[in-house]
């Protein structure tokens, strides 16, 4: 075996295209007394509070979507190609006075103007239902059977930021100008009262499709550059079964081929042993880093991962709540970067002998975290691994502690599960008496992808999530 060792996207200023229209509209209204936007209660949509709706944007034709099927408070809301998934279905919960909360069928949480913002561009997220005014919206009519959602707190409307037509575009609030990107069609997806006999699919948009992707090397465009990854599709793939999706990142100087093949340890160590351990229950991905590393300059490698997810999940059946990442050394640093930037996209990460060497954009949201590190690591000192771990001890609300670590010469490992963590966000720490390596074996100072304990412990950590 060879081994060498966003949070939510920022909301940019968007005055250009709209400010011209706003100034012109203001001048016309001042001169003529015309009213541009009708803010009367909506008559076009008769809301049934026992029904579920998909909200389709007039400008893009895409649906209001709980991004990546997240379940945590603060998860962002986006638009996505309509698939009628549970993360695209919303129920209107009566708050009185003509206002409603919009509850996600997937998470049970409601639309929320983040942090009670009153600013243009204020983020729309999901949050536990407190019936706050920043969670209450009324419907105002536009033409053609479309409505606008007006916040009780800010008086602003829910819109697709920048009139984007792209999957994943942010949903924000903005002053009401009755733009097409502020108008929504309410499409009822069940009859109300009793939920549908067949529940909506839990998988992504690739479920039910005849796949065009197969195991092997694939090339995609990311940030205008050709990037490659190796994909392994489970044997006897079933396009109606939502699979786990596991990313395995190579070390400095490593390659996607070594991850896929398992190197000198062979198939037992493919994808750090997760091919063997998952036993055809997961789709596996080995991306290739620039210069055989993961510098992640300007977040380009996080974007690369985003693009891989979109490519795979548009074609193959993936459970959006079952995405995982792991890696060794620089690959561990890349997994940590994803934990920081994409805690609402990935369910859990495992970082083997890693450090903060691929950046940490965000790093404030909880994610299930498993750190593994050798006590005699002379490439990336164990103190660096502890620092990564402690980020998510804090984020996950765990009780701080100094977990036991094996003594020098013991040739053993000790795995600790932290206590007090938020439900669904565990933190584990495994320290082992050895150096900078991903496949230590108890009782020896050698390493082996065939007999290492790391692959089984990582798999058990991932497999606990359903």
């Amino acid at each position: 075996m060879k081994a060498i060792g966003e949070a939510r996207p920022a909301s940019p200023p968007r005055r250009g295209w709209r400010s011209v229209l706003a100034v012109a509209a203001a001048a016309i209204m001042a001169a003529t007394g015309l009213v541009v936007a009708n803010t009367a209660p909506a008559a076009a949509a008769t809301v049934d509070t026992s029904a579920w709706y998909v909200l389709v944007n007039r400008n893009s034709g895409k649906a209001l979507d709980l991004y990546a099927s997240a379940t945590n408070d603060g998860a962002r809301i986006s638009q996505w190609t309509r698939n009628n998934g549970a993360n695209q279905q919303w129920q209107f919960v009566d708050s009185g006075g003509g206002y409603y909360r919009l509850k996600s069928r997937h998470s049970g949480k409601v639309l929320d103007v983040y942090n009670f913002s009153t600013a243009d561009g204020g983020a729309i997220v999901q949050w536990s239902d407190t019936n706050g005014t920043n969670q209450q919206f009324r419907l105002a009519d536009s033409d053609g059977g479309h409505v606008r959602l007006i916040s009780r707190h800010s008086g602003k409307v829910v819109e697709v930021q920048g009139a984007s037509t792209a999957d994943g575009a942010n949903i924000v609030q903005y002053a009401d100008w009755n733009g097409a990107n502020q108008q929504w069609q309410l499409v009822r997806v069940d009859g109300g009262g009793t939920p549908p006999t067949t529940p909506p699919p839990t998988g992504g948009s690739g479920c039910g499709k005849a796949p065009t992707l197969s195991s092997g090397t694939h090339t995609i465009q990311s940030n205008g550059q050709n990037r490659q990854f190796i994909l392994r599709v489970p044997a006897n793939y079933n396009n109606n079964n939502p699979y786990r999706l596991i990313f395995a990142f190579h070390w400095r100087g490593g390659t996607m081929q070594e991850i896929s093949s398992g190197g000198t340890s062979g198939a037992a160590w493919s994808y750090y042993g997760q091919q063997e351990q998952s036993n055809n229950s997961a789709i596996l991905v080995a991306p290739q880093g620039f210069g055989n590393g993961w510098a992640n300059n300007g977040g380009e490698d996080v974007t690369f991962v985003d693009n891989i997810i979109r490519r795979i999940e548009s074609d193959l059946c993936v459970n959006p709540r079952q995405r995982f990442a792991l890696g060794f050394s620089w690959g561990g640093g890349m997994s940590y970067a994803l934990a920081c930037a994409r805690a609402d996209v990935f369910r859990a990460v495992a970082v083997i002998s890693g450090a903060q060497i691929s950046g940490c954009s965000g790093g404030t949201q909880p994610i299930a975290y498993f750190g593994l590190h050798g006590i005699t690591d002379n490439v990336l000192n164990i103190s660096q691994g502890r620092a990564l771990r402690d980020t998510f001890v804090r984020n996950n609300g765990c009780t701080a502690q100094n977990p036991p670590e094996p003594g020098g010469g013991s040739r053993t490992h000790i795995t600790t599960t932290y206590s007090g963590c938020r439900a669904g966000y565990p933190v584990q720490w495994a320290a082992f008496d050895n150096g900078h390596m991903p496949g230590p074996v108890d009782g020896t100072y050698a390493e082996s992808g065939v007999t290492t304990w790391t692959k089984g412990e990582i798999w058990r950590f991932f497999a606990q999530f359903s």
Side-chain angles (χ1 to χ4, degrees):
M1 176 180 63
K2 180 182 178 184
I4 300 173
E6 196 182 39
R8 178 183 182 87
S11 299
R14 299 174 297 115
R15 297 292 188 268
W17 64 276
R18 180 155 34 197
S19 60
V20 176
L21 293 178
V23 170
I28 292 170
M29 286 189 293
T32 67
L34 292 176
V35 177
V36 174
N38 170 22
T39 59
T46 302
V47 174
D48 182 343
T49 55
S50 66
W52 296 93
Y53 296 88
V54 171
L55 278 68
V56 180
N57 187 258
R58 187 171 194 170
N59 178 64
S60 66
K62 297 189 174 180
L64 189 73
D65 180 284
L66 174 54
Y67 186 75
S69 296
T71 57
N72 56 292
D73 282 346
R76 72 184 182 98
I77 306 300
S78 68
Q79 71 173 1
W80 204 268
T81 301
R82 180 181 168 187
N83 57 44
N84 284 12
N87 65 317
Q88 293 186 348
Q89 296 189 34
W90 306 89
Q91 187 175 58
F92 287 81
V93 181
D94 195 351
S95 291
Y99 287 88
Y100 301 89
R101 282 112 59 213
L102 275 74
K103 182 175 74 173
S104 168
R105 187 167 200 163
H106 171 71
S107 67
K109 298 187 175 181
V110 299
L111 289 189
D112 178 287
V113 178
Y114 183 67
N115 204 27
F116 288 85
S117 174
T118 58
D120 283 342
I124 303 295
V125 300
Q126 73 168 1
W127 206 271
S128 299
D129 187 355
T130 65
N131 200 21
T133 55
N134 65 319
Q135 297 180 340
Q136 299 178 28
F137 300 87
R138 64 183 177 86
L139 280 67
D141 269 328
S142 294
D143 64 4
H146 292 84
V147 299
R148 305 183 308 287
L149 302 173
I150 301 179
S151 168
R152 187 169 201 166
H153 171 71
S154 66
K156 298 190 172 180
V157 300
V158 174
E159 70 161 41
V160 178
Q161 188 176 36
S164 174
T165 59
D167 280 344
N170 289 332
I171 303 301
V172 299
Q173 70 173 2
Y174 209 91
D176 185 1
W177 64 290
N178 201 22
N181 65 318
Q182 297 181 333
Q183 299 179 32
W184 304 88
Q185 181 183 25
L186 307 187
V187 181
R188 189 167 174 166
V189 290
D190 70 58
T194 304
T197 303
T198 303
T202 57
S205 61
C207 294
K209 293 182 179 178
T212 61
L213 286 175
S214 59
S215 296
T217 301
H218 298 271
T219 302
I220 62 172
Q221 282 276 308
S222 184
N223 281 348
Q225 302 181 80
N226 287 332
R227 302 292 301 263
Q228 288 190 315
F229 63 93
I230 294 178
L231 176 69
R232 185 186 182 277
V233 180
N236 301 316
Y237 168 77
N238 179 348
N239 65 2
N240 289 309
N241 174 52
Y243 289 86
R244 296 179 179 90
L245 181 63
I246 301 177
F247 282 78
F249 295 94
H250 61 74
W251 50 91
R252 178 184 180 184
T255 66
M256 63 182 182
Q257 289 85 1
E258 289 173 292
I259 294 293
S260 176
S261 69
T264 57
S265 289
W269 189 235
S270 293
Y271 301 88
Y272 296 108
Q274 298 312 293
Q275 178 176 317
E276 172 194 85
Q277 295 290 310
S278 63
N279 192 26
N280 289 307
S281 67
I283 296 168
L284 302 163
V285 187
Q288 180 61 47
F290 281 133
N292 294 4
W294 300 105
N296 192 32
N297 294 320
E300 64 183 355
D301 291 324
V302 171
T303 299
F304 177 34
V305 171
D306 290 341
N307 291 331
I308 293 174
I309 290 173
R310 291 189 185 99
R311 178 68 184 95
I312 291 173
E313 295 189 10
S314 67
D315 193 80
L316 299 176
C317 191
V318 173
N319 185 338
R321 291 173 290 176
Q322 295 275 286
R323 303 188 190 106
F324 305 93
L326 77 158
F328 163 66
S329 193
W330 211 343
M334 184 62 206
S335 299
Y336 177 76
L338 290 172
C340 291
R342 295 294 183 266
D344 58 350
V345 174
F346 284 83
R347 187 64 185 85
V349 300
V351 175
I352 311 170
S353 304
Q356 189 173 318
I357 46 183
S358 299
C360 177
S361 176
T364 61
Q365 296 297 314
I367 187 173
Y369 187 88
F370 187 12
L372 308 88
H373 218 110
I375 64 171
T376 59
D377 191 329
N378 62 1
V379 177
L380 298 173
N381 189 272
I382 191 172
S383 63
Q384 294 174 279
R386 293 179 189 130
L388 305 190
R389 171 202 70 197
D390 290 346
T391 296
F392 291 99
V393 170
R394 291 188 297 272
N395 291 355
N396 296 8
C398 308
T399 303
Q401 60 173 288
N402 291 314
E405 296 176 352
S410 65
R411 303 183 185 185
T412 59
H413 76 282
I414 299 175
T415 301
T416 301
T417 300
Y418 276 70
S419 61
C421 303
R422 287 176 52 182
Y425 296 99
V427 172
Q428 273 187 200
W429 174 249
F432 54 91
D433 178 28
N434 218 323
H436 192 67
M437 60 179 64
V441 178
D442 284 347
T444 177
Y445 284 127
E447 63 173 330
S448 168
V450 176
T451 57
T452 182
W453 51 268
T454 61
K455 59 184 179 181
E457 292 208 12
I458 291 171
W459 171 249
R460 286 189 291 275
F461 185 75
F462 287 169
Q464 69 181 301
F465 305 109
S466 58

